[in-house]
Amino acid sequence: MIKHTFMLAPVQQQRPRATHYGRSIRLYDPKAVKQFKQTVAEEAMLTYRHQPLSGSLAVTLVFYRPVQQSLSKVEKQRRIDGRHLPVVKPDLDNYIKSFLDALHGIYWQDDALITDIVASKRYGRQPRIEIEVNEIQEDENA
């Protein structure tokens, strides 16, 4: 099992940018996404020193967004307590995509190994991303 908290604000996956390279086109991540993925990968490599997992995986993710500073104290507390959820952009699936891509080759050989995923988007006093990864024992009798 892998369990870790990344103390950084989640960044959504954005559409790739394109540039012409001779007759071909090269696609690349926007700068903010590239930096986010690099930061996540570096921290993961420092804290997880094992071989990447290679079996079926179950992943649980919680993305904590910062609370807007312009809100009243009462509204900020409602959001931190989970009474008001972040039903705003960016979409949860875009957070998932950028984060899982950053961990490719570190926590797992390929994110295609993830067969089960539970993800949440919440507000928090401190922006962060919590992850738990469990290997799934496949039933040979099924």
Side-chain angles (χ1 to χ4, degrees):
M1 175 180 33
I2 301 169
K3 192 172 186 176
H4 187 69
T5 299
F6 292 82
M7 298 305 292
L8 55 113
V11 173
Q12 69 177 351
Q13 180 66 46
Q14 299 173 13
R15 294 190 188 281
R17 305 294 190 256
T19 185
H20 291 281
Y21 187 74
R23 291 184 174 214
S24 62
I25 295 175
R26 185 178 80 86
L27 298 176
Y28 61 95
D29 280 328
K31 186 176 181 179
V33 176
K34 181 179 178 183
Q35 288 176 338
F36 171 76
K37 288 179 179 181
Q38 186 174 13
T39 301
V40 169
E42 288 171 358
E43 184 171 336
M45 285 188 279
L46 288 173
T47 59
Y48 182 74
R49 299 181 188 269
H50 304 284
Q51 290 294 318
L53 301 173
S54 60
S56 299
L57 303 173
V59 177
T60 302
L61 300 165
V62 183
F63 298 93
Y64 289 93
R65 298 170 38 99
V67 178
Q68 299 90 327
Q69 294 300 315
S70 60
L71 299 172
S72 70
K73 287 183 181 181
V74 172
E75 182 57 26
K76 282 182 186 179
Q77 195 59 49
R78 284 184 187 135
R79 291 179 183 208
I80 290 169
D81 292 344
R83 291 182 280 156
H84 284 183
L85 298 176
V87 290
V88 295
K89 295 207 180 267
D91 299 349
L92 178 59
D93 61 323
N94 291 327
Y95 281 156
I96 295 168
K97 181 70 174 146
S98 64
F99 189 67
L100 295 184
D101 283 353
L103 297 171
H104 176 93
I106 302 168
Y107 281 1
W108 43 74
Q109 290 177 351
D110 192 301
D111 53 2
L113 296 170
I114 300 170
T115 59
D116 296 31
I117 190 165
V118 175
S120 305
K121 178 172 67 168
R122 299 289 186 262
Y123 288 112
R125 289 189 201 280
Q126 176 68 41
R128 64 191 182 279
I129 305 164
E130 297 174 354
I131 183 170
E132 184 174 318
V133 181
N134 290 292
E135 290 186 279
I136 299 172
Q137 301 303 317
E138 296 183 27
D139 185 6
E140 295 177 13
N141 297 326

